[in-house]
Amino acid sequence: MTHPESPVQPARDQEIAQFRAILRSNDRGGYAVPSSRLYPFQWNWDAAINAVGWQTFDEDRAWQEVESLLAGQWDNGMVPSIVFHKPAQSYFPGPQEWGCDDRQPPTTSISQPPVLATMVRRMRARSVDPAVDARLAPIVARLVRWHRWWHRDRDPLHTGLVVTYHPWETGSDNSPAWDEPLKAVPPTARAYQRRDTGVVDGSMRPHKAEYDRFVYLVDFFRDCGFDARKIYDGSPFRIVDFALNAILLRADADLAVLCDDLGMRDEAGELRACHARSLAAIDSLWCDALGRHVSLDTRNGRRLEQHTHAAYLAWYANLFQRAGGTARSAALQGGLEDLLQSTRFGLASTHPRDPGFDPRRYWRGSVWPHINWLVAEGLSEQGLPVAARRLRDDTLALVRAAGPFEYFSPDSGEGLGGPDFSWTASIALILLAGSGSGVSQGAACA
Ligand code: DGY
């Protein structure tokens, strides 16, 4: 493994060629695996980010990435966290464990943070294909069905906030924010064999105690026959993740604009109604004393107040437009400054002051390029370019020095997790192509 001080920066063209080559080598025919041995299938939010990466040099391939993911959509609208397009042995749990091996293609039974509509809107804005809207129509129709699923199956009481049942669904699998709620999940009593720790060092991955609970939940969903109401009522893990809700809010607004652009007026109206309800509801997650939004354990009403990256997605979700928003944004900037100053490279996924902080272990402190980018996009859109630049610069510095790893130590800059990682290469390509989302939030939320 290399460290940030060591290598000389290669020329830009050479760098771009290197990152494109990673996407090409991870391409399995219409979809890219995140990292060949650690994650040998197509992941949901990885695919969304990778589509934007592909678009920097191959637009047709970019749309294929989206179409391949959506081929795994369930009849109820859910777009799964993993689509198991082709069998592979190096990953656990596979489609049989999920109880979804008879589906075509096989999938998991949970979803992942819905960044896709926002990425699709961005891709349309940058498309050079004159026939792009014809290709987009079925994609947008599927996105609408997915968003409906979130608001219907994951918010059956119409609170305006959606719940998640598995840390894998949040994307930030072993965040210290989930430590307390996970205590309510019994460890599985059955034997299973992890594959991840055979591929990367165990010190970079979640502990066995967490995996025992991850596996319990996978079995629980299968044993409930994937019945939405049974799972809502019975899941021992049922949280409102601020990050996922912020991402959905933003995506609802972006999808409404896409619907308008494609003449889907009713769907646009429906999404704007969801957006307005969620925007009002997410206010309840703001904590004045902390100066940031927090997540919620809906089984006991407890707030999950750990200082993680999640809070800084508030700008991306455009949450500070209402009365009092300026003061809240200023408070959040203070938190961001503190978090950035507390490590050498930003943005640590957990504040070093948190007792759960671990700079090397997955979501317990390491820096994630795609999170840096999403947060930076929000900062830029809200007129905070200095912090945005810091995140973009840190991201490129880490990737250049250590290589396109899955995540990085915020202290040493060491590259961690899977090597030759697709969305890290995609983020590098996006940053090298220039910043700016190419979409305006004002228009999205008008
Ligand atoms: C894993 O296996 O680590 C993934 O994050 C699950 O989606």
Side-chain angles (χ1 to χ4, degrees):
M1 254 163 241
T2 52
H3 290 271
E5 293 81 9
S6 44
V8 179
Q9 275 185 15
R12 190 172 174 277
D13 286 358
Q14 236 179 308
E15 283 190 299
I16 289 177
Q18 177 209 346
F19 298 129
R20 288 179 181 177
I22 285 169
L23 282 183
R24 293 259 185 244
S25 72
N26 287 339
D27 189 2
R28 296 292 178 273
Y31 70 96
V33 298
S35 185
S36 62
R37 289 192 59 232
L38 187 60
Y39 303 119
F41 309 105
Q42 188 183 32
W43 261 256
N44 184 323
W45 64 334
D46 295 66
I49 303 282
N50 290 336
V52 178
W54 283 113
Q55 199 191 20
T56 62
F57 64 105
D58 185 343
E59 177 164 346
D60 177 58
R61 181 61 190 76
W63 292 114
Q64 280 177 33
E65 191 73 39
V66 176
E67 289 157 351
S68 300
L69 176 71
L70 293 174
Q73 183 167 38
W74 285 24
D75 288 345
N76 65 5
M78 197 265 287
V79 179
S81 61
I82 307 174
V83 184
F84 299 103
H85 292 286
K86 293 176 197 160
Q89 294 313 312
S90 62
Y91 182 79
F92 167 88
Q96 291 89 348
E97 311 272 347
W98 286 96
C100 302
D101 47 324
D102 55 348
R103 307 190 71 85
Q104 210 39 256
T107 68
T108 60
S109 70
I110 55 170
S111 197
Q112 252 188 340
V115 290
L116 185 59
T118 300
M119 299 306 135
V120 166
R121 183 179 175 207
R122 177 192 164 101
M123 288 164 65
R124 180 176 186 269
R126 291 167 182 235
S127 173
V128 292
D129 177 358
V132 71
D133 282 354
R135 192 160 189 178
L136 256 179
I139 291 175
V140 171
R142 281 181 180 264
L143 285 169
V144 169
R145 289 180 47 227
W146 185 25
H147 283 226
R148 274 188 193 134
W149 170 83
W150 278 111
H151 292 290
R152 184 191 63 233
D153 283 20
R154 297 314 188 85
D155 182 19
L157 306 183
H158 310 292
T159 65
L161 297 172
V162 301
V163 295
T164 60
Y165 302 128
H166 200 298
W168 285 340
E169 196 163 63
T170 69
S172 48
D173 304 12
N174 65 336
S175 170
W178 317 144
D179 289 355
E180 260 321 295
L182 264 185
K183 286 183 186 160
V185 179
T188 185
R190 74 172 172 92
Y192 64 92
Q193 192 180 355
R194 283 175 72 168
R195 307 274 176 194
D196 57 325
T197 44
V199 180
V200 301
D201 195 283
S203 66
M204 303 174 191
R205 297 289 301 174
H207 287 110
K208 178 177 183 309
E210 285 148 356
Y211 253 79
D212 285 350
R213 289 164 175 84
F214 295 166
V215 173
Y216 176 93
L217 290 168
V218 168
D219 294 348
F220 172 77
F221 306 143
R222 191 193 53 227
D223 296 346
C224 287
F226 312 118
D227 181 296
R229 191 65 214 204
K230 261 194 206 162
I231 296 175
Y232 183 85
D233 290 339
S235 177
F237 186 89
R238 195 184 67 198
I239 54 150
V240 165
D241 172 17
F242 171 72
L244 193 146
N245 277 273
I247 285 169
L248 180 61
L249 252 165
R250 167 72 190 255
D252 275 340
D254 288 324
L255 188 52
V257 174
L258 280 168
C259 287
D260 274 341
D261 292 345
L262 296 187
M264 300 162 68
R265 304 268 171 235
D266 292 349
E267 290 85 348
E270 181 188 337
L271 286 157
R272 290 211 166 85
C274 290
H275 182 270
R277 201 175 57 208
S278 304
L279 192 60
I282 208 161
D283 225 38
S284 66
L285 300 179
W286 176 262
C287 177
D288 261 332
L290 295 174
R292 58 178 188 267
H293 294 89
V294 296
S295 294
L296 183 73
D297 185 343
T298 70
R299 302 231 51 115
N300 54 25
R302 281 201 203 116
R303 290 176 161 221
L304 306 170
E305 297 187 345
Q306 285 75 9
H307 191 165
T308 71
H309 63 281
Y312 302 104
L313 289 164
W315 290 298
Y316 170 85
N318 199 14
L319 297 189
F320 298 127
Q321 299 309 304
R322 289 142 58 106
T326 310
R328 286 187 179 183
S329 177
L332 193 64
Q333 284 171 63
L336 180 62
E337 201 43 46
D338 175 39
L339 183 53
L340 287 173
Q341 277 173 10
S342 68
T343 58
R344 188 162 154 226
F345 299 97
L347 181 70
S349 47
T350 303
H351 197 294
R353 270 200 301 272
D354 189 288
F357 174 77
D358 180 336
R360 301 183 86 245
R361 198 178 291 278
Y362 215 36
W363 287 91
R364 300 185 79 86
S366 55
V367 176
W368 288 79
H370 68 300
I371 295 292
N372 274 10
W373 179 59
L374 296 178
V375 173
E377 289 290 284
L379 286 163
S380 290
E381 288 160 355
Q382 302 302 327
L384 299 166
V386 177
R389 194 170 321 114
R390 161 87 199 265
L391 290 180
R392 293 192 181 105
D393 289 351
D394 277 14
T395 307
L396 276 179
L398 285 163
V399 176
R400 280 178 170 142
F405 277 86
E406 184 179 6
Y407 45 97
F408 301 87
S409 162
D411 296 330
S412 67
E414 180 187 8
L416 301 165
D420 293 337
F421 215 83
S422 292
W423 71 9
T424 305
S426 291
I427 295 295
L429 286 169
I430 295 163
L431 294 179
L432 289 167
S435 59
S437 63
V439 298
S440 127
Q441 286 193 330
C445 301

